[in-house]
Amino acid sequence: MKTLFPLRFVLAVLLCSQTALVGQDQAKEHPLTPAIKIAKQSLAAVSQIQDYQCEFSRRELVKNQLVSQRTSLRLKHSPFSVYMKFIEPAPGREVLYVAGKNQGKLLAHEASGLSTLLGTVSLSVNSPTVMAETRHPITEAGMKRLIELVISQWELESKFGEIDVKFYPNAKMGTSTCEVLEASHPRPRKQFKYQLTRVFIDKQTRLPVRVENYGFPPAPGQKPVLIEEYTYTNIKVNNGFRDSDFDQRNPKYSF
């Protein structure tokens, strides 16, 4: 006669099997999955903001030259509107862009030098003059687009291996405490745009306040090359900006 297993024993075996499967699923989770989840939470936080003003600093490798700029930035998400006043270099330079206005072009003028004789100029957002100093057009300005680009990059990279992800829960950026997500790759691959990407998320506001991207070292033993770095400080959100705050006729501006 065959021995029948008690029901509770069968249930216990099934439970253990399910637990093992859950453990296997967790083991298969890509290292980038938690980082992408946190990045999407940060995207949700910045998407809830109507507008903000801040000090925006960037360093970018443009045509093998490291370009540094620091500006006072105003940005409104809808309609997408950007106003920049340069602090350094070219102090006093103003740049204005509003989606759907000015024939899709940006407006700019210099505050000093011979270029002031030209007055306000209208430029394509991808014109050689504009792109000579930056890696991204003004249509990609702001924290929202910045974290969107990181998420898209990481979602692509999550289809591959060879990645190391680190999490620093209490990093400092000035006086702010941030969570830092860091993803790096041991060797160059065509699917990896950068060797290392580092994202700073303000612990209080959940805003993506800094992103650093580094290229692969030119030779073994050398340090990664800084490709781009974007930093947002002194952020004030939901200022109630109006269309007039992004209008060249605004008497506070010099267009």
Side-chain angles (χ1 to χ4, degrees), residues 204-241:
Q204 183 176 0
T205 65
R206 307 308 300 165
L207 298 178
V209 293
R210 184 171 187 165
V211 170
E212 303 169 3
N213 284 314
Y214 293 83
F216 288 88
Q222 296 185 4
K223 293 182 178 181
V225 178
L226 178 65
I227 302 296
E228 50 190 30
E229 174 191 274
Y230 307 101
T231 306
Y232 298 82
T233 56
N234 302 321
I235 304 168
K236 297 180 180 179
V237 303
N238 295 331
N239 302 274
F241 288 144

PDB file of all heavy atoms in Angstrom, residues 204-241:
ATOM      1  N   GLN A 204      15.529  65.586   0.539  1.00  0.00           N
ATOM      2  CA  GLN A 204      14.332  66.268   1.013  1.00  0.00           C
ATOM      3  C   GLN A 204      13.324  66.502  -0.106  1.00  0.00           C
ATOM      4  O   GLN A 204      12.141  66.200   0.038  1.00  0.00           O
ATOM      5  CB  GLN A 204      14.707  67.602   1.658  1.00  0.00           C
ATOM      6  CG  GLN A 204      13.514  68.349   2.238  1.00  0.00           C
ATOM      7  CD  GLN A 204      13.922  69.616   2.952  1.00  0.00           C
ATOM      8  OE1 GLN A 204      15.101  69.954   3.028  1.00  0.00           O
ATOM      9  NE2 GLN A 204      12.953  70.322   3.508  1.00  0.00           N
ATOM     10  N   THR A 205      13.780  67.007  -1.234  1.00  0.00           N
ATOM     11  CA  THR A 205      12.862  67.356  -2.322  1.00  0.00           C
ATOM     12  C   THR A 205      12.690  66.244  -3.341  1.00  0.00           C
ATOM     13  O   THR A 205      11.740  66.277  -4.120  1.00  0.00           O
ATOM     14  CB  THR A 205      13.370  68.605  -3.061  1.00  0.00           C
ATOM     15  OG1 THR A 205      14.625  68.297  -3.703  1.00  0.00           O
ATOM     16  CG2 THR A 205      13.573  69.765  -2.095  1.00  0.00           C
ATOM     17  N   ARG A 206      13.620  65.294  -3.374  1.00  0.00           N
ATOM     18  CA  ARG A 206      13.663  64.192  -4.342  1.00  0.00           C
ATOM     19  C   ARG A 206      13.984  64.684  -5.758  1.00  0.00           C
ATOM     20  O   ARG A 206      13.791  63.954  -6.723  1.00  0.00           O
ATOM     21  CB  ARG A 206      12.350  63.389  -4.361  1.00  0.00           C
ATOM     22  CG  ARG A 206      11.894  62.892  -3.009  1.00  0.00           C
ATOM     23  CD  ARG A 206      12.968  62.134  -2.269  1.00  0.00           C
ATOM     24  NE  ARG A 206      13.414  60.943  -3.011  1.00  0.00           N
ATOM     25  CZ  ARG A 206      14.536  60.285  -2.722  1.00  0.00           C
ATOM     26  NH1 ARG A 206      15.331  60.725  -1.756  1.00  0.00           N
ATOM     27  NH2 ARG A 206      14.864  59.207  -3.422  1.00  0.00           N
ATOM     28  N   LEU A 207      14.469  65.892  -5.892  1.00  0.00           N
ATOM     29  CA  LEU A 207      14.807  66.431  -7.206  1.00  0.00           C
ATOM     30  C   LEU A 207      16.192  65.955  -7.649  1.00  0.00           C
ATOM     31  O   LEU A 207      17.105  65.811  -6.816  1.00  0.00           O
ATOM     32  CB  LEU A 207      14.772  67.956  -7.179  1.00  0.00           C
ATOM     33  CG  LEU A 207      13.428  68.601  -6.867  1.00  0.00           C
ATOM     34  CD1 LEU A 207      13.562  70.123  -6.818  1.00  0.00           C
ATOM     35  CD2 LEU A 207      12.380  68.194  -7.892  1.00  0.00           C
ATOM     36  N   PRO A 208      16.376  65.723  -8.952  1.00  0.00           N
ATOM     37  CA  PRO A 208      17.695  65.317  -9.472  1.00  0.00           C
ATOM     38  C   PRO A 208      18.587  66.544  -9.643  1.00  0.00           C
ATOM     39  O   PRO A 208      18.511  67.239 -10.661  1.00  0.00           O
ATOM     40  CB  PRO A 208      17.356  64.679 -10.816  1.00  0.00           C
ATOM     41  CG  PRO A 208      16.114  65.398 -11.262  1.00  0.00           C
ATOM     42  CD  PRO A 208      15.350  65.761 -10.007  1.00  0.00           C
ATOM     43  N   VAL A 209      19.414  66.832  -8.662  1.00  0.00           N
ATOM     44  CA  VAL A 209      20.123  68.107  -8.612  1.00  0.00           C
ATOM     45  C   VAL A 209      21.503  68.069  -9.270  1.00  0.00           C
ATOM     46  O   VAL A 209      22.133  69.117  -9.448  1.00  0.00           O
ATOM     47  CB  VAL A 209      20.253  68.597  -7.156  1.00  0.00           C
ATOM     48  CG1 VAL A 209      18.888  68.946  -6.586  1.00  0.00           C
ATOM     49  CG2 VAL A 209      20.949  67.555  -6.282  1.00  0.00           C
ATOM     50  N   ARG A 210      21.950  66.862  -9.629  1.00  0.00           N
ATOM     51  CA  ARG A 210      23.253  66.801 -10.308  1.00  0.00           C
ATOM     52  C   ARG A 210      23.383  65.474 -11.052  1.00  0.00           C
ATOM     53  O   ARG A 210      22.987  64.426 -10.551  1.00  0.00           O
ATOM     54  CB  ARG A 210      24.401  66.929  -9.306  1.00  0.00           C
ATOM     55  CG  ARG A 210      25.781  66.965  -9.938  1.00  0.00           C
ATOM     56  CD  ARG A 210      26.831  67.313  -8.898  1.00  0.00           C
ATOM     57  NE  ARG A 210      28.138  67.506  -9.488  1.00  0.00           N
ATOM     58  CZ  ARG A 210      29.162  68.088  -8.862  1.00  0.00           C
ATOM     59  NH1 ARG A 210      29.012  68.528  -7.625  1.00  0.00           N
ATOM     60  NH2 ARG A 210      30.326  68.230  -9.450  1.00  0.00           N
ATOM     61  N   VAL A 211      23.956  65.559 -12.254  1.00  0.00           N
ATOM     62  CA  VAL A 211      24.269  64.366 -13.037  1.00  0.00           C
ATOM     63  C   VAL A 211      25.676  64.517 -13.594  1.00  0.00           C
ATOM     64  O   VAL A 211      26.031  65.575 -14.130  1.00  0.00           O
ATOM     65  CB  VAL A 211      23.259  64.144 -14.182  1.00  0.00           C
ATOM     66  CG1 VAL A 211      23.753  63.050 -15.120  1.00  0.00           C
ATOM     67  CG2 VAL A 211      21.894  63.773 -13.631  1.00  0.00           C
ATOM     68  N   GLU A 212      26.469  63.459 -13.456  1.00  0.00           N
ATOM     69  CA  GLU A 212      27.822  63.430 -14.004  1.00  0.00           C
ATOM     70  C   GLU A 212      27.936  62.235 -14.948  1.00  0.00           C
ATOM     71  O   GLU A 212      27.511  61.127 -14.611  1.00  0.00           O
ATOM     72  CB  GLU A 212      28.871  63.276 -12.895  1.00  0.00           C
ATOM     73  CG  GLU A 212      28.815  64.350 -11.821  1.00  0.00           C
ATOM     74  CD  GLU A 212      29.697  64.003 -10.623  1.00  0.00           C
ATOM     75  OE1 GLU A 212      30.388  62.945 -10.665  1.00  0.00           O
ATOM     76  OE2 GLU A 212      29.701  64.755  -9.645  1.00  0.00           O
ATOM     77  N   ASN A 213      28.511  62.462 -16.113  1.00  0.00           N
ATOM     78  CA  ASN A 213      28.773  61.385 -17.068  1.00  0.00           C
ATOM     79  C   ASN A 213      30.247  61.401 -17.451  1.00  0.00           C
ATOM     80  O   ASN A 213      30.782  62.451 -17.839  1.00  0.00           O
ATOM     81  CB  ASN A 213      27.909  61.541 -18.324  1.00  0.00           C
ATOM     82  CG  ASN A 213      26.469  61.132 -18.083  1.00  0.00           C
ATOM     83  OD1 ASN A 213      26.195  60.090 -17.490  1.00  0.00           O
ATOM     84  ND2 ASN A 213      25.533  61.946 -18.551  1.00  0.00           N
ATOM     85  N   TYR A 214      30.883  60.239 -17.338  1.00  0.00           N
ATOM     86  CA  TYR A 214      32.308  60.110 -17.657  1.00  0.00           C
ATOM     87  C   TYR A 214      32.510  59.103 -18.783  1.00  0.00           C
ATOM     88  O   TYR A 214      31.860  58.055 -18.822  1.00  0.00           O
ATOM     89  CB  TYR A 214      33.096  59.635 -16.430  1.00  0.00           C
ATOM     90  CG  TYR A 214      33.151  60.636 -15.295  1.00  0.00           C
ATOM     91  CD1 TYR A 214      32.106  60.739 -14.379  1.00  0.00           C
ATOM     92  CD2 TYR A 214      34.249  61.488 -15.137  1.00  0.00           C
ATOM     93  CE1 TYR A 214      32.147  61.655 -13.341  1.00  0.00           C
ATOM     94  CE2 TYR A 214      34.296  62.412 -14.088  1.00  0.00           C
ATOM     95  CZ  TYR A 214      33.245  62.488 -13.203  1.00  0.00           C
ATOM     96  OH  TYR A 214      33.296  63.397 -12.173  1.00  0.00           O
ATOM     97  N   GLY A 215      33.440  59.419 -19.688  1.00  0.00           N
ATOM     98  CA  GLY A 215      33.785  58.498 -20.755  1.00  0.00           C
ATOM     99  C   GLY A 215      34.840  57.514 -20.296  1.00  0.00           C
ATOM    100  O   GLY A 215      35.445  57.657 -19.227  1.00  0.00           O
ATOM    101  N   PHE A 216      35.089  56.500 -21.100  1.00  0.00           N
ATOM    102  CA  PHE A 216      36.095  55.504 -20.769  1.00  0.00           C
ATOM    103  C   PHE A 216      37.488  56.120 -20.837  1.00  0.00           C
ATOM    104  O   PHE A 216      37.747  56.998 -21.669  1.00  0.00           O
ATOM    105  CB  PHE A 216      35.992  54.316 -21.721  1.00  0.00           C
ATOM    106  CG  PHE A 216      34.792  53.456 -21.472  1.00  0.00           C
ATOM    107  CD1 PHE A 216      33.578  53.739 -22.095  1.00  0.00           C
ATOM    108  CD2 PHE A 216      34.869  52.376 -20.606  1.00  0.00           C
ATOM    109  CE1 PHE A 216      32.462  52.942 -21.860  1.00  0.00           C
ATOM    110  CE2 PHE A 216      33.756  51.587 -20.361  1.00  0.00           C
ATOM    111  CZ  PHE A 216      32.555  51.867 -20.982  1.00  0.00           C
ATOM    112  N   PRO A 217      38.399  55.691 -19.970  1.00  0.00           N
ATOM    113  CA  PRO A 217      39.766  56.240 -19.989  1.00  0.00           C
ATOM    114  C   PRO A 217      40.425  56.017 -21.343  1.00  0.00           C
ATOM    115  O   PRO A 217      40.201  54.990 -21.993  1.00  0.00           O
ATOM    116  CB  PRO A 217      40.478  55.434 -18.892  1.00  0.00           C
ATOM    117  CG  PRO A 217      39.378  54.903 -18.011  1.00  0.00           C
ATOM    118  CD  PRO A 217      38.214  54.679 -18.923  1.00  0.00           C
ATOM    119  N   PRO A 218      41.233  56.959 -21.792  1.00  0.00           N
ATOM    120  CA  PRO A 218      41.907  56.800 -23.092  1.00  0.00           C
ATOM    121  C   PRO A 218      42.922  55.665 -23.090  1.00  0.00           C
ATOM    122  O   PRO A 218      43.260  55.131 -24.153  1.00  0.00           O
ATOM    123  CB  PRO A 218      42.580  58.161 -23.309  1.00  0.00           C
ATOM    124  CG  PRO A 218      42.695  58.767 -21.946  1.00  0.00           C
ATOM    125  CD  PRO A 218      41.526  58.257 -21.157  1.00  0.00           C
ATOM    126  N   ALA A 219      43.400  55.292 -21.918  1.00  0.00           N
ATOM    127  CA  ALA A 219      44.391  54.212 -21.821  1.00  0.00           C
ATOM    128  C   ALA A 219      44.217  53.517 -20.468  1.00  0.00           C
ATOM    129  O   ALA A 219      43.740  54.129 -19.504  1.00  0.00           O
ATOM    130  CB  ALA A 219      45.803  54.768 -21.966  1.00  0.00           C
ATOM    131  N   PRO A 220      44.586  52.234 -20.375  1.00  0.00           N
ATOM    132  CA  PRO A 220      44.473  51.515 -19.109  1.00  0.00           C
ATOM    133  C   PRO A 220      45.237  52.215 -17.986  1.00  0.00           C
ATOM    134  O   PRO A 220      46.328  52.745 -18.197  1.00  0.00           O
ATOM    135  CB  PRO A 220      45.106  50.149 -19.431  1.00  0.00           C
ATOM    136  CG  PRO A 220      44.938  50.002 -20.906  1.00  0.00           C
ATOM    137  CD  PRO A 220      45.088  51.375 -21.464  1.00  0.00           C
ATOM    138  N   GLY A 221      44.627  52.246 -16.824  1.00  0.00           N
ATOM    139  CA  GLY A 221      45.267  52.873 -15.679  1.00  0.00           C
ATOM    140  C   GLY A 221      44.968  54.351 -15.527  1.00  0.00           C
ATOM    141  O   GLY A 221      45.261  54.944 -14.489  1.00  0.00           O
ATOM    142  N   GLN A 222      44.384  54.956 -16.558  1.00  0.00           N
ATOM    143  CA  GLN A 222      44.036  56.367 -16.479  1.00  0.00           C
ATOM    144  C   GLN A 222      42.607  56.547 -15.948  1.00  0.00           C
ATOM    145  O   GLN A 222      41.810  55.607 -15.938  1.00  0.00           O
ATOM    146  CB  GLN A 222      44.177  57.027 -17.853  1.00  0.00           C
ATOM    147  CG  GLN A 222      45.596  57.042 -18.384  1.00  0.00           C
ATOM    148  CD  GLN A 222      45.720  57.815 -19.677  1.00  0.00           C
ATOM    149  OE1 GLN A 222      44.758  58.410 -20.165  1.00  0.00           O
ATOM    150  NE2 GLN A 222      46.904  57.818 -20.265  1.00  0.00           N
ATOM    151  N   LYS A 223      42.310  57.760 -15.517  1.00  0.00           N
ATOM    152  CA  LYS A 223      41.003  58.045 -14.951  1.00  0.00           C
ATOM    153  C   LYS A 223      39.963  58.253 -16.056  1.00  0.00           C
ATOM    154  O   LYS A 223      40.306  58.656 -17.165  1.00  0.00           O
ATOM    155  CB  LYS A 223      41.075  59.305 -14.074  1.00  0.00           C
ATOM    156  CG  LYS A 223      41.917  59.143 -12.824  1.00  0.00           C
ATOM    157  CD  LYS A 223      41.883  60.419 -11.983  1.00  0.00           C
ATOM    158  CE  LYS A 223      42.691  60.255 -10.708  1.00  0.00           C
ATOM    159  NZ  LYS A 223      42.649  61.501  -9.874  1.00  0.00           N
ATOM    160  N   PRO A 224      38.691  57.988 -15.732  1.00  0.00           N
ATOM    161  CA  PRO A 224      37.624  58.282 -16.696  1.00  0.00           C
ATOM    162  C   PRO A 224      37.615  59.770 -17.058  1.00  0.00           C
ATOM    163  O   PRO A 224      38.006  60.627 -16.257  1.00  0.00           O
ATOM    164  CB  PRO A 224      36.346  57.886 -15.953  1.00  0.00           C
ATOM    165  CG  PRO A 224      36.791  56.922 -14.913  1.00  0.00           C
ATOM    166  CD  PRO A 224      38.169  57.360 -14.508  1.00  0.00           C
ATOM    167  N   VAL A 225      37.168  60.085 -18.262  1.00  0.00           N
ATOM    168  CA  VAL A 225      37.166  61.454 -18.763  1.00  0.00           C
ATOM    169  C   VAL A 225      35.795  62.082 -18.537  1.00  0.00           C
ATOM    170  O   VAL A 225      34.767  61.507 -18.919  1.00  0.00           O
ATOM    171  CB  VAL A 225      37.502  61.473 -20.272  1.00  0.00           C
ATOM    172  CG1 VAL A 225      37.464  62.896 -20.808  1.00  0.00           C
ATOM    173  CG2 VAL A 225      38.855  60.835 -20.520  1.00  0.00           C
ATOM    174  N   LEU A 226      35.774  63.246 -17.909  1.00  0.00           N
ATOM    175  CA  LEU A 226      34.504  63.936 -17.713  1.00  0.00           C
ATOM    176  C   LEU A 226      33.933  64.371 -19.056  1.00  0.00           C
ATOM    177  O   LEU A 226      34.570  65.103 -19.808  1.00  0.00           O
ATOM    178  CB  LEU A 226      34.685  65.162 -16.812  1.00  0.00           C
ATOM    179  CG  LEU A 226      33.409  65.998 -16.579  1.00  0.00           C
ATOM    180  CD1 LEU A 226      32.360  65.199 -15.823  1.00  0.00           C
ATOM    181  CD2 LEU A 226      33.732  67.298 -15.836  1.00  0.00           C
ATOM    182  N   ILE A 227      32.713  63.916 -19.356  1.00  0.00           N
ATOM    183  CA  ILE A 227      32.042  64.289 -20.590  1.00  0.00           C
ATOM    184  C   ILE A 227      31.039  65.415 -20.345  1.00  0.00           C
ATOM    185  O   ILE A 227      30.986  66.387 -21.097  1.00  0.00           O
ATOM    186  CB  ILE A 227      31.311  63.081 -21.210  1.00  0.00           C
ATOM    187  CG1 ILE A 227      32.302  61.943 -21.475  1.00  0.00           C
ATOM    188  CG2 ILE A 227      30.585  63.482 -22.481  1.00  0.00           C
ATOM    189  CD1 ILE A 227      33.361  62.268 -22.485  1.00  0.00           C
ATOM    190  N   GLU A 228      30.283  65.282 -19.274  1.00  0.00           N
ATOM    191  CA  GLU A 228      29.298  66.324 -18.952  1.00  0.00           C
ATOM    192  C   GLU A 228      28.919  66.251 -17.480  1.00  0.00           C
ATOM    193  O   GLU A 228      28.866  65.175 -16.885  1.00  0.00           O
ATOM    194  CB  GLU A 228      28.057  66.204 -19.845  1.00  0.00           C
ATOM    195  CG  GLU A 228      27.460  64.817 -19.921  1.00  0.00           C
ATOM    196  CD  GLU A 228      26.401  64.687 -20.992  1.00  0.00           C
ATOM    197  OE1 GLU A 228      26.481  65.399 -22.013  1.00  0.00           O
ATOM    198  OE2 GLU A 228      25.472  63.873 -20.804  1.00  0.00           O
ATOM    199  N   GLU A 229      28.667  67.419 -16.935  1.00  0.00           N
ATOM    200  CA  GLU A 229      28.293  67.538 -15.523  1.00  0.00           C
ATOM    201  C   GLU A 229      27.315  68.700 -15.392  1.00  0.00           C
ATOM    202  O   GLU A 229      27.606  69.814 -15.836  1.00  0.00           O
ATOM    203  CB  GLU A 229      29.532  67.801 -14.667  1.00  0.00           C
ATOM    204  CG  GLU A 229      29.253  68.083 -13.207  1.00  0.00           C
ATOM    205  CD  GLU A 229      30.497  68.596 -12.508  1.00  0.00           C
ATOM    206  OE1 GLU A 229      31.299  67.764 -12.058  1.00  0.00           O
ATOM    207  OE2 GLU A 229      30.677  69.837 -12.445  1.00  0.00           O
ATOM    208  N   TYR A 230      26.157  68.445 -14.802  1.00  0.00           N
ATOM    209  CA  TYR A 230      25.108  69.459 -14.665  1.00  0.00           C
ATOM    210  C   TYR A 230      24.686  69.546 -13.207  1.00  0.00           C
ATOM    211  O   TYR A 230      24.355  68.530 -12.582  1.00  0.00           O
ATOM    212  CB  TYR A 230      23.912  69.102 -15.546  1.00  0.00           C
ATOM    213  CG  TYR A 230      24.306  68.855 -16.987  1.00  0.00           C
ATOM    214  CD1 TYR A 230      24.428  67.566 -17.473  1.00  0.00           C
ATOM    215  CD2 TYR A 230      24.590  69.917 -17.846  1.00  0.00           C
ATOM    216  CE1 TYR A 230      24.804  67.323 -18.784  1.00  0.00           C
ATOM    217  CE2 TYR A 230      24.974  69.696 -19.154  1.00  0.00           C
ATOM    218  CZ  TYR A 230      25.083  68.391 -19.622  1.00  0.00           C
ATOM    219  OH  TYR A 230      25.473  68.153 -20.921  1.00  0.00           O
ATOM    220  N   THR A 231      24.670  70.766 -12.669  1.00  0.00           N
ATOM    221  CA  THR A 231      24.380  70.959 -11.249  1.00  0.00           C
ATOM    222  C   THR A 231      23.363  72.070 -11.059  1.00  0.00           C
ATOM    223  O   THR A 231      23.501  73.159 -11.645  1.00  0.00           O
ATOM    224  CB  THR A 231      25.665  71.308 -10.478  1.00  0.00           C
ATOM    225  OG1 THR A 231      26.661  70.306 -10.727  1.00  0.00           O
ATOM    226  CG2 THR A 231      25.395  71.378  -8.981  1.00  0.00           C
ATOM    227  N   TYR A 232      22.362  71.808 -10.236  1.00  0.00           N
ATOM    228  CA  TYR A 232      21.311  72.786  -9.917  1.00  0.00           C
ATOM    229  C   TYR A 232      21.368  73.090  -8.425  1.00  0.00           C
ATOM    230  O   TYR A 232      21.262  72.187  -7.592  1.00  0.00           O
ATOM    231  CB  TYR A 232      19.930  72.217 -10.283  1.00  0.00           C
ATOM    232  CG  TYR A 232      19.769  71.910 -11.747  1.00  0.00           C
ATOM    233  CD1 TYR A 232      20.253  70.712 -12.284  1.00  0.00           C
ATOM    234  CD2 TYR A 232      19.147  72.805 -12.609  1.00  0.00           C
ATOM    235  CE1 TYR A 232      20.117  70.426 -13.634  1.00  0.00           C
ATOM    236  CE2 TYR A 232      19.012  72.528 -13.963  1.00  0.00           C
ATOM    237  CZ  TYR A 232      19.495  71.332 -14.462  1.00  0.00           C
ATOM    238  OH  TYR A 232      19.361  71.051 -15.798  1.00  0.00           O
ATOM    239  N   THR A 233      21.532  74.372  -8.090  1.00  0.00           N
ATOM    240  CA  THR A 233      21.607  74.787  -6.690  1.00  0.00           C
ATOM    241  C   THR A 233      20.684  75.978  -6.443  1.00  0.00           C
ATOM    242  O   THR A 233      20.224  76.631  -7.377  1.00  0.00           O
ATOM    243  CB  THR A 233      23.050  75.171  -6.306  1.00  0.00           C
ATOM    244  OG1 THR A 233      23.524  76.192  -7.191  1.00  0.00           O
ATOM    245  CG2 THR A 233      23.977  73.965  -6.389  1.00  0.00           C
ATOM    246  N   ASN A 234      20.441  76.261  -5.159  1.00  0.00           N
ATOM    247  CA  ASN A 234      19.575  77.383  -4.758  1.00  0.00           C
ATOM    248  C   ASN A 234      18.233  77.340  -5.491  1.00  0.00           C
ATOM    249  O   ASN A 234      17.777  78.344  -6.058  1.00  0.00           O
ATOM    250  CB  ASN A 234      20.279  78.726  -5.014  1.00  0.00           C
ATOM    251  CG  ASN A 234      21.596  78.839  -4.280  1.00  0.00           C
ATOM    252  OD1 ASN A 234      21.717  78.405  -3.136  1.00  0.00           O
ATOM    253  ND2 ASN A 234      22.592  79.410  -4.915  1.00  0.00           N
ATOM    254  N   ILE A 235      17.612  76.179  -5.487  1.00  0.00           N
ATOM    255  CA  ILE A 235      16.386  75.950  -6.250  1.00  0.00           C
ATOM    256  C   ILE A 235      15.170  76.491  -5.495  1.00  0.00           C
ATOM    257  O   ILE A 235      14.979  76.199  -4.321  1.00  0.00           O
ATOM    258  CB  ILE A 235      16.199  74.444  -6.524  1.00  0.00           C
ATOM    259  CG1 ILE A 235      17.425  73.879  -7.247  1.00  0.00           C
ATOM    260  CG2 ILE A 235      14.940  74.200  -7.340  1.00  0.00           C
ATOM    261  CD1 ILE A 235      17.457  72.362  -7.301  1.00  0.00           C
ATOM    262  N   LYS A 236      14.358  77.282  -6.198  1.00  0.00           N
ATOM    263  CA  LYS A 236      13.077  77.762  -5.665  1.00  0.00           C
ATOM    264  C   LYS A 236      11.984  77.330  -6.631  1.00  0.00           C
ATOM    265  O   LYS A 236      12.015  77.696  -7.810  1.00  0.00           O
ATOM    266  CB  LYS A 236      13.097  79.287  -5.506  1.00  0.00           C
ATOM    267  CG  LYS A 236      14.128  79.784  -4.513  1.00  0.00           C
ATOM    268  CD  LYS A 236      14.106  81.306  -4.404  1.00  0.00           C
ATOM    269  CE  LYS A 236      15.145  81.799  -3.412  1.00  0.00           C
ATOM    270  NZ  LYS A 236      15.161  83.293  -3.311  1.00  0.00           N
ATOM    271  N   VAL A 237      11.039  76.554  -6.125  1.00  0.00           N
ATOM    272  CA  VAL A 237      10.038  75.958  -7.014  1.00  0.00           C
ATOM    273  C   VAL A 237       8.695  76.677  -6.922  1.00  0.00           C
ATOM    274  O   VAL A 237       8.404  77.372  -5.946  1.00  0.00           O
ATOM    275  CB  VAL A 237       9.844  74.463  -6.690  1.00  0.00           C
ATOM    276  CG1 VAL A 237      11.171  73.719  -6.790  1.00  0.00           C
ATOM    277  CG2 VAL A 237       9.227  74.257  -5.315  1.00  0.00           C
ATOM    278  N   ASN A 238       7.894  76.501  -7.974  1.00  0.00           N
ATOM    279  CA  ASN A 238       6.521  77.016  -8.046  1.00  0.00           C
ATOM    280  C   ASN A 238       6.443  78.504  -7.697  1.00  0.00           C
ATOM    281  O   ASN A 238       5.792  78.924  -6.742  1.00  0.00           O
ATOM    282  CB  ASN A 238       5.610  76.193  -7.139  1.00  0.00           C
ATOM    283  CG  ASN A 238       5.481  74.753  -7.613  1.00  0.00           C
ATOM    284  OD1 ASN A 238       5.598  74.472  -8.810  1.00  0.00           O
ATOM    285  ND2 ASN A 238       5.253  73.838  -6.692  1.00  0.00           N
ATOM    286  N   ASN A 239       7.129  79.280  -8.524  1.00  0.00           N
ATOM    287  CA  ASN A 239       7.174  80.734  -8.341  1.00  0.00           C
ATOM    288  C   ASN A 239       5.980  81.440  -8.990  1.00  0.00           C
ATOM    289  O   ASN A 239       5.844  82.658  -8.865  1.00  0.00           O
ATOM    290  CB  ASN A 239       8.469  81.291  -8.932  1.00  0.00           C
ATOM    291  CG  ASN A 239       9.703  80.671  -8.297  1.00  0.00           C
ATOM    292  OD1 ASN A 239      10.166  81.134  -7.265  1.00  0.00           O
ATOM    293  ND2 ASN A 239      10.238  79.629  -8.916  1.00  0.00           N
ATOM    294  N   GLY A 240       5.157  80.689  -9.688  1.00  0.00           N
ATOM    295  CA  GLY A 240       4.020  81.302 -10.369  1.00  0.00           C
ATOM    296  C   GLY A 240       4.425  82.123 -11.572  1.00  0.00           C
ATOM    297  O   GLY A 240       3.801  83.151 -11.880  1.00  0.00           O
ATOM    298  N   PHE A 241       5.465  81.681 -12.283  1.00  0.00           N
ATOM    299  CA  PHE A 241       5.917  82.422 -13.466  1.00  0.00           C
ATOM    300  C   PHE A 241       4.791  82.521 -14.497  1.00  0.00           C
ATOM    301  O   PHE A 241       4.044  81.569 -14.725  1.00  0.00           O
ATOM    302  CB  PHE A 241       7.128  81.728 -14.096  1.00  0.00           C
ATOM    303  CG  PHE A 241       8.395  81.858 -13.300  1.00  0.00           C
ATOM    304  CD1 PHE A 241       9.304  80.813 -13.240  1.00  0.00           C
ATOM    305  CD2 PHE A 241       8.686  83.021 -12.620  1.00  0.00           C
ATOM    306  CE1 PHE A 241      10.476  80.929 -12.513  1.00  0.00           C
ATOM    307  CE2 PHE A 241       9.858  83.146 -11.877  1.00  0.00           C
ATOM    308  CZ  PHE A 241      10.750  82.097 -11.826  1.00  0.00           C
TER     309      PHE A 241
END
